[in-house]
Amino acid sequence: MSRILLTGATGLIGGAVLHRALVAKTDAEWVCLVRASDEEAGRQRIAARLGRFTSALNAQRMAQRVEIVAGDFTKADQIADPRLDSVTQVLHLAADTSWWAQEKVHRTNHDGTLALARRAARMPRLDRFLHVSTAMICGGKPPAMVDETRYPDPDAAHLVHYSASKAAAETSLAAGFADLPLVVARPSIVLGHSTLGARPGSSILWVIRACDRLRLVAGSRDGTVDIVPTDWVADTLVEMLARPALAHGTYHLSAGTVSRTRWSELGCTLDRVDPAEGPRHYEEFSARDRATLHRRFTEVFGMDEAIKVAMFRALQAYYRFCELDVTFDNTRLLAEGFAPPPALSEYIGRCIETSGEIVDQFREDFGGFAGAPVRGEQTARPRPSQPDGVTNRTVARRGSAPG
Ligand SMILES: NC(=O)c1ccc[n+]([C@@H]2O[C@H](COP(=O)([O-])OP(=O)(O)OC[C@H]3O[C@@H](n4cnc5c(N)ncnc54)[C@H](OP(=O)(O)O)[C@@H]3O)[C@@H](O)[C@H]2O)c1
């Protein structure tokens, strides 16, 4: 029987994973490592997250079916709780997804992941440690098509500290835990839910809606962004846990060439599903052209509240990711029979239907944008304890990263 330790169950993807797993009613046991004062408080946090997918009553019932270990994954190596000893699979989703808080994200995402790996090394029945990284470890200058073999690259110039910390974690896991049954999943940009739309969370959805509302595309209108829905990522991760064997050690969970989003096509879809805001004619600009973005943003949203100023800065950083025009190859995943993701154009209508104001949706990601660098600061100083082989050379302004 599977006994799965899940970190990050109170987060966007973790909640979707748990909901999907509990709906399936397999005989797998789920143990959630949750930050909480005690088990009951942890259970209530899980129930609150599950409540985004189902009724409050159902969510409470589902939450009763999981075991809770109250704790911090960054100190997992100090958790003696014997319930962890019988774990057969770890799904490690927990992370600090803020973009600019350099020391904190490194401590959590790199040092914390290694602490969890040390605890996992003491789990005698463990047959898979599924570590969720991000395709954005490619940094700020990827080729147009990225496959799983090319990164992490110690010379990658990262746009944000977050992706540098995730790259560092991958590097150190590979270097220091040769005996761990490690598989790395790298989602691209996770946005919306293919049937529930924005209900489970509006993280990053506000970015697409804001770009659309501003009618500004960074780079080319024919450029693409690699976006996948939360539920597809959750389904894929659950299936990756269930598969007795996987051919590779690293997989992109990405849209790939078939399902990636082209701005010009997205505009046509939005004209159809959201005609009140149409017709769309996106103007192309450079993500470094702060003046154009500032002017347009002020006209459309205003700059009259602190939240809008924060949203402007976050959007400025997101535009740099959008301008990368990069596709993450998902051939490995599809070749092993995993279902392909739907394209954003297939479910953006559902996201719009279930959406409120764009600025309110940004609030969900707001916490990820703390610690903005001083204006004009583009390059992070190397950390004194820089992880082996990882360069934070070009950490951009601030934000809550795609992935
Ligand atoms: N969302 C994307 O677009 C995307 C794309 C690619 C990869 N990813 C990766 O997917 C994973 C999940 O992302 P997400 O969007 O679901 O993140 P999220 O919504 O920000 O959730 C983060 C989760 O990590 C938990 N966490 C953080 N620090 C913790 C700690 N010290 N101890 C225990 N739990 C801790 C949080 O718990 P609390 O509730 O206690 O804060 C929360 O459950 C991350 O590894 C991320 O890098 C995400």
Side-chain angles (χ1 to χ4, degrees), residues 92 95-96 211 238 315 337 351 381:
H92 177 39
D96 187 330
C211 295
V238 171
L315 192 60
C351 291
R381 280 176 292 134

Side-chain angles (χ1 to χ4, degrees), residues 105-369:
V105 294
H106 184 80
R107 246 190 345 263
T108 304
N109 298 344
H110 176 269
D111 303 353
T113 295
L114 300 196
L116 183 67
R118 285 193 292 277
R119 182 62 179 92
R122 305 200 313 263
M123 297 173 180
R125 295 177 57 209
L126 192 74
D127 63 27
R128 183 150 301 148
F129 185 99
L130 183 51
H131 169 63
V132 180
S133 182
T134 169
M136 287 298 171
I137 61 163
C138 64
K141 289 188 179 150
M145 175 64 73
V146 171
D147 72 22
E148 287 91 339
T149 60
R150 194 175 170 122
Y151 298 99
D153 176 348
D155 292 326
H158 289 274
L159 291 175
V160 292
H161 293 296
Y162 159 80
S163 61
S165 74
K166 300 291 281 190
E170 280 200 42
T171 303
S172 295
L173 278 177
F177 293 87
D179 293 335
L180 205 63
L182 178 67
V183 174
V184 177
R186 293 187 195 142
S188 52
I189 300 173
V190 183
L191 180 162
H193 188 287
S194 66
T195 56
L196 300 175
R199 292 223 168 98
S202 53
S203 178
I204 313 184
L205 174 58
W206 65 270
V207 178
I208 297 296
R209 295 185 66 211
C211 295
D212 173 56
R213 185 72 62 82
L214 295 174
R215 301 290 197 267
L216 277 180
V217 167
S220 162
R221 276 181 288 268
D222 288 324
T224 60
V225 276
D226 193 308
I227 292 173
V228 288
T230 320
D231 49 320
W232 176 81
V233 173
D235 287 356
T236 306
L237 290 171
V238 171
E239 195 176 337
M240 287 178 85
L241 288 172
R243 294 268 181 113
L246 291 165
H248 301 280
T250 309
Y251 293 84
H252 280 151
L253 271 56
S254 58
T257 44
V258 173
S259 303
R260 65 189 171 183
T261 302
R262 200 171 292 284
W263 286 105
S264 50
E265 290 163 10
L266 184 66
C268 296
T269 306
L270 285 168
D271 274 345
R272 202 177 63 248
V273 300
D274 188 19
E277 289 283 330
R280 272 114 174 133
H281 300 290
Y282 295 138
E283 183 186 327
E284 298 173 350
F285 88 121
S286 159
R288 289 178 189 275
D289 178 0
R290 185 180 185 279
T292 297
L293 180 58
H294 191 273
R295 183 174 28 79
R296 188 68 65 85
F297 190 98
T298 306
E299 284 163 13
V300 173
F301 295 109
M303 281 283 188
D304 52 330
E305 293 172 58
I307 188 81
K308 293 182 184 171
V309 175
M311 180 172 143
F312 167 73
R313 291 187 179 145
L315 192 60
Q316 198 183 4
Y318 263 110
Y319 264 120
R320 294 188 63 188
F321 279 98
C322 294
E323 199 171 42
L324 294 179
D325 191 6
V326 58
T327 302
F328 298 103
D329 184 28
N330 61 8
T331 310
R332 279 187 176 182
L333 197 72
L334 302 189
E336 283 180 55
F338 287 89
L344 177 62
S345 57
E346 293 172 51
Y347 69 95
I348 187 74
R350 188 68 188 125
C351 291
I352 301 291
E353 268 170 35
T354 47
S355 282
E357 290 297 317
I358 296 173
V359 177
D360 290 336
Q361 291 191 325
F362 166 67
R363 284 178 213 279
E364 186 164 322
D365 281 346
F366 177 64
F369 293 90

